[in-house]
Coordinates of all heavy atoms in Angstrom, one line a residue:
G24 N -79.1 13.1 137.6 CA -77.8 13.6 138.1 C -77.0 12.5 138.9 O -77.4 11.4 138.9
G25 N -76.0 12.9 139.5 CA -75.1 12.0 140.2 C -75.8 11.4 141.5 O -75.3 10.4 142.0
S26 N -76.8 12.0 142.0 CA -77.5 11.5 143.2 C -78.8 10.8 142.9 O -79.5 10.3 143.8 CB -77.8 12.6 144.2 OG -78.6 13.6 143.6
G27 N -79.1 10.6 141.6 CA -80.4 9.9 141.3 C -81.1 10.6 140.1 O -80.5 11.4 139.4
L28 N -82.4 10.3 140.1 CA -83.2 10.7 138.9 C -84.6 11.2 139.4 O -85.2 10.5 140.3 CB -83.3 9.6 137.9 CG -84.1 9.8 136.6 CD1 -83.4 9.1 135.5 CD2 -85.5 9.3 136.8
R29 N -85.1 12.3 139.0 CA -86.4 12.8 139.4 C -87.2 13.1 138.1 O -86.7 13.5 137.1 CB -86.2 14.1 140.1 CG -85.5 14.0 141.4 CD -85.5 15.3 142.2 NE -84.8 16.4 141.4 CZ -85.0 17.7 141.6 NH1 -85.9 18.1 142.5 NH2 -84.4 18.6 140.9
I30 N -88.5 12.8 138.2 CA -89.4 12.9 137.1 C -90.6 13.7 137.5 O -91.1 13.5 138.7 CB -89.9 11.5 136.7 CG1 -88.7 10.6 136.3 CG2 -90.9 11.6 135.5 CD1 -89.1 9.1 136.1
A31 N -91.1 14.6 136.7 CA -92.3 15.4 136.9 C -93.2 15.2 135.7 O -92.8 15.3 134.6 CB -92.0 16.8 137.2
L32 N -94.5 15.0 136.0 CA -95.5 15.1 135.0 C -96.3 16.4 135.2 O -96.7 16.7 136.3 CB -96.5 13.9 135.2 CG -97.5 13.7 134.1 CD1 -96.9 13.1 132.8 CD2 -98.6 12.7 134.6
A33 N -96.5 17.1 134.1 CA -97.1 18.4 134.2 C -98.1 18.7 133.1 O -98.1 18.0 132.0 CB -96.0 19.5 134.1
D34 N -99.0 19.6 133.3 CA -99.9 20.1 132.2 C -99.1 20.8 131.2 O -98.3 21.7 131.4 CB -101.0 21.0 132.9 CG -101.9 21.5 131.8 OD1 -102.9 20.8 131.5 OD2 -101.8 22.7 131.4
A35 N -99.4 20.4 129.9 CA -98.6 21.0 128.8 C -98.8 22.5 128.6 O -97.9 23.2 128.4 CB -99.0 20.3 127.5
A36 N -100.0 22.9 128.8 CA -100.3 24.4 128.5 C -99.8 25.3 129.5 O -99.4 26.4 129.2 CB -101.9 24.5 128.3
T37 N -99.8 24.9 130.8 CA -99.5 25.8 131.9 C -98.1 25.4 132.6 O -97.6 26.3 133.3 CB -100.5 25.7 133.0 OG1 -100.6 24.4 133.6 CG2 -101.9 26.1 132.4
G38 N -97.6 24.2 132.4 CA -96.4 23.8 133.1 C -96.7 23.4 134.5 O -95.7 23.2 135.3
T39 N -97.9 23.4 135.0 CA -98.2 23.1 136.4 C -97.9 21.6 136.6 O -98.4 20.7 135.9 CB -99.7 23.3 136.7 OG1 -100.0 24.7 136.4 CG2 -100.0 23.0 138.1
V40 N -97.1 21.3 137.6 CA -96.7 19.9 137.9 C -97.9 19.2 138.5 O -98.5 19.7 139.5 CB -95.5 19.9 138.8 CG1 -95.2 18.5 139.3 CG2 -94.3 20.5 138.1
L41 N -98.2 18.1 138.0 CA -99.4 17.3 138.5 C -99.0 16.1 139.4 O -99.7 15.8 140.3 CB -100.1 16.7 137.3 CG -100.6 17.7 136.2 CD1 -101.2 17.0 135.0 CD2 -101.7 18.6 136.8
D42 N -97.8 15.6 139.2 CA -97.3 14.5 140.0 C -95.8 14.3 139.7 O -95.3 14.8 138.7 CB -98.1 13.2 139.7 CG -98.1 12.2 141.0 OD1 -97.3 12.5 141.9 OD2 -98.8 11.3 140.9
G43 N -95.2 13.5 140.5 CA -93.8 13.3 140.3 C -93.3 12.0 141.0 O -94.0 11.4 141.9

Side-chain angles (χ1 to χ4, degrees):
S26 59
L28 182 143
R29 298 183 298 155
I30 303 167
L32 187 75
D34 179 78
T37 65
T39 302
V40 174
L41 304 171
D42 204 350

